[in-house]
Amino acid sequence: MPALAQSGASSGTIRGTVRDFDGRGMEGVIVSARASRETWTTSVYTDRQGNYSFPSLSPGQYSMWAQFKGYDLAKVADLNLADSSRLTHDLTLRPLADQRVIANQLAGPDWFAALPESNDQDRRMKHLLRNNCSFCHPVSFTLSHRFDARGWAILIDMMPQWTFWPNLNYRNPDEPKTPMWQAYKEEFAEYLGRVTPDLQPRPLPQTRGAATGAVIIEYDVPRQGRPPAVHNGTYWTEGQPTDWESKGARDIWIDDKGIVWTSDDQSMGRTLGRLDPRTGKWTDYAMPDDKGVAFATHGVTGDPKTGLVYQGTLPPGDPSILIFDPKTEEFVSYLRPKSIPIGGAFLSVDSQSNVWATAFGPGGGVQKLDPKTGTYTFYPVPYPDDVPEFNQNQYGMVVDSLDNVWVARPGAETVGYLEPKTGKTGNVRFERLVMPGLTEKDRTVSASMTTGPTTGPPNGRGPRRLASGGNYVYVALMKSDEVAQIDIRTKQVKTFPLPKGSAAYAVRVDKNGNVWVAANNADSFYKLDPRTGQVTDFQLPTRGTDLRDVTVDNTTSPPTVWGAYSRSNKIVRLQERPAGTQQAAAK
Amino acid sequence: MKKRFLAALAALLAGSMSVSIAAQFQEGPPTKPVVAKAQWTPVKTVKVDVPVTQGVRSDTPVFRGEGLFQQHCSVCHLGRFDKSGQVQPVVNLAGVLKDASPDREAAVRMQIQRGSINMPSFQHTFTPREVEALIAYLKTR
């Protein structure tokens, strides 16, 4: 909780009931409040009777608003919350009639559900869309553009000319066009040109039941040299935010002092971002290159034993591991020896305080850095013999509770495995989805073109990022909307379905054994209970979140879940409250 | 018979909740680690406390049009920001409708509606109200 719960400062609260025009209480409405002098927004859900109640809020001048898909925004300005006061404010929501405005409010799974799939061809295209477009743009953003086939073909031709990494030339006409996009270009253009002009997405069910007890706090993330974002997904009827205005923080880690650290691949002057959630204060730390430009970073993690923060840098230059010492507030770096392959974007720390990272390039493997001695060790982890070199690419990795290492291989549909102590290696191979109607082109493309983190045929599973929890490793399967659970001793695998079209991106396990999922098509945190397979959907107060990472603070009870909105440029914190909190407050 | 039916139903329900086996483990050859000592390389750190401020909102067509412009036009007409600063757009529309003649405005409306050889048609994307907001914003650029 910002400020109050920890400082014991004075506080008040706001509560009330949200009803529809017929006077019925509405469940799952997100009610948000923001003090004029603060840099964060606090949100709660209404319960089954329509009751909402905020936790302690600092005294001040508040604006408050309520949002529910399919209903117009209800907003209240200038609520004066005095010290120790308890304001009651009821709201009525008016249903929206304009389908285009409703569409603006919707998240990826709502849009995905509206895509036709009544025949094999449409089903293929729906999966191709998720597998080739989602990992740069949430599907809600893509589909809010309603072009004809000619328009979509222009965009598909144009996209490869925008280089992916920052710090490189913006528009590169010599960049080879992505072969898989080109192979499917005509089919994409025909399909999107046919379905998007009249697509009418409808709201899927919103947050319900015990989940409505949760409290969500979203912190604005500033950017040097840029005006503050205005259209940042806060008000849903305004539609999806864009890279132009509000792209920023990427991965996230919280240290044992409650400080939040983020990596950043977009913002000027920032290699590492620091948020103090108690005050909302933001600090940028830059490691400048020889032109004075801050290095871009992808992964971030840390070691509670040493207090060090680790990041993985991105091009230009070879990706590598970067160390930051919060005590001295300085970067510390070891220059990777030439005999060690490049790597570092994805990181994990073992029980001996070694930091591990994904290695890049064909062949596959992971690298270990002992920060005490500066010694790097590269461990090759071979792919199965039948995986062609062009499909040898790696993504997320994790060290499990036995100090063995797992690394995702999206192109090979496998997760690589290493036992550093014995030298044993292996691969968990995922079966492709059984999908009627695959074409000869799908088979040709699969056999001849690179499948990777951002491309793939219709029937892949796409392991992306991993997490460790007790006896298991969990894997986000981005192309099949699943989470896989691997038993680290028996190597037995189970899979759990998530909402369709959500595109599971990253996972993290809390101290209660629940798996929290960041899905970059969905403006939600999902909580998976692997004992029952039950998935709880915590829909978030912001649109176009493009969540790509999640972390958990296990020092609180219940655990606190943190994420970075990479597109809407906010840091989010979610904590559950016992069911019935709102009703108790209403009495 | 009834027991078998109930067992099948239980299995079906369990399946719908969660679990299927979709993968198998395959052992590989032993790894051959490469060890190397790294060189210490001190690096510079630049620290900046960045103030968090809120943008100014309004209830005008210009404000709505600016949002639409950023959502649908920025990729070509606003460039982008990156680590090194702002990168110039492919086609900068600054001043495109500033004090423009009716003919020029009509031409811009036509371009939005029909597109061009390098630009998609936006006739299905924007509602008439959104086009008016967009034009109102372009007149301020």
Side-chain angles (χ1 to χ4, degrees), chain A residues 193-421:
Chain A
R194 174 161 52 87
V195 304
T196 56
D198 299 314
L199 194 61
Q200 297 209 353
R202 302 282 182 194
L204 295 173
Q206 302 184 50
T207 299
R208 292 185 291 202
T212 62
V215 177
I216 301 167
I217 299 175
E218 297 171 307
Y219 299 85
D220 289 359
V221 177
R223 292 186 299 180
Q224 292 187 48
R226 297 287 311 275
V230 178
H231 306 89
N232 61 356
T234 299
Y235 302 109
W236 303 349
T237 51
E238 291 174 359
Q240 308 291 313
T242 61
D243 288 12
W244 164 262
E245 194 172 28
S246 58
K247 197 169 176 80
R250 200 180 197 292
D251 284 8
I252 185 165
W253 185 69
I254 181 162
D255 70 19
D256 57 358
K257 296 180 179 64
I259 297 297
V260 175
W261 301 91
T262 69
S263 61
D264 196 296
D265 57 3
Q266 301 287 331
S267 307
M268 211 163 55
R270 182 184 304 152
T271 297
L272 176 68
R274 177 191 189 273
L275 169 72
D276 183 344
R278 288 170 283 267
T279 61
K281 183 183 175 187
W282 186 274
T283 306
D284 279 349
Y285 298 95
M287 181 175 79
D289 64 14
D290 51 8
K291 293 177 186 159
V293 175
F295 268 78
T297 46
H298 191 294
V300 62
T301 192
D303 183 357
K305 290 180 189 166
T306 63
L308 296 174
V309 177
Y310 300 104
Q311 291 193 284
T313 64
L314 295 173
D318 293 340
S320 61
I321 299 169
L322 180 61
I323 307 171
F324 180 83
D325 186 345
K327 291 193 194 86
T328 60
E329 295 188 279
E330 286 185 339
F331 289 106
V332 179
S333 189
Y334 284 102
L335 193 63
R336 178 183 47 80
K338 284 196 167 59
S339 57
I340 302 294
I342 62 170
F346 307 95
L347 307 156
S348 185
V349 177
D350 70 17
S351 66
Q352 304 305 306
S353 293
N354 299 304
V355 56
W356 292 76
T358 302
F360 295 137
V366 288
Q367 55 182 238
K368 178 180 79 174
L369 168 63
D370 179 347
K372 295 183 287 294
T373 63
T375 305
Y376 272 89
T377 310
F378 169 63
Y379 295 87
V381 180
Y383 286 84
D385 291 339
D386 58 344
V387 175
E389 191 170 302
F390 59 78
N391 273 341
Q392 295 184 7
N393 46 65
Q394 301 192 132
Y395 208 81
M397 58 85 60
V398 75
V399 179
D400 70 20
S401 58
L402 300 174
D403 273 352
N404 296 322
V405 186
W406 304 79
V407 58
R409 301 169 152 183
E413 299 285 349
T414 69
V415 171
Y417 171 71
L418 169 72
E419 287 181 19
K421 287 175 196 145

Side-chain angles (χ1 to χ4, degrees), chain A residues 19 354 517:
Chain A
R19 298 184 177 88
N354 299 304
V517 184

Side-chain angles (χ1 to χ4, degrees), chain A residues 117-128 184 187 433-444 446 457-459:
Chain A
E117 55 179 333
S118 58
N119 58 54
D120 288 347
Q121 173 64 2
D122 282 355
R123 196 175 309 114
R124 267 184 75 239
M125 294 313 300
K126 190 168 175 169
H127 282 256
L128 278 168
Y184 285 115
E187 285 189 281
L433 299 177
V434 177
M435 189 177 292
L438 291 184
T439 65
E440 190 54 37
K441 182 192 284 181
D442 298 329
R443 283 181 275 277
T444 306
S446 294
N459 59 336

Side-chain angles (χ1 to χ4, degrees), chain A residues 564-576:
Chain A
Y565 298 165
S566 73
R567 178 170 288 255
S568 309
N569 202 21
K570 301 174 189 174
I571 301 297
V572 60
R573 168 201 194 280
L574 180 146
Q575 191 172 28
E576 294 183 83

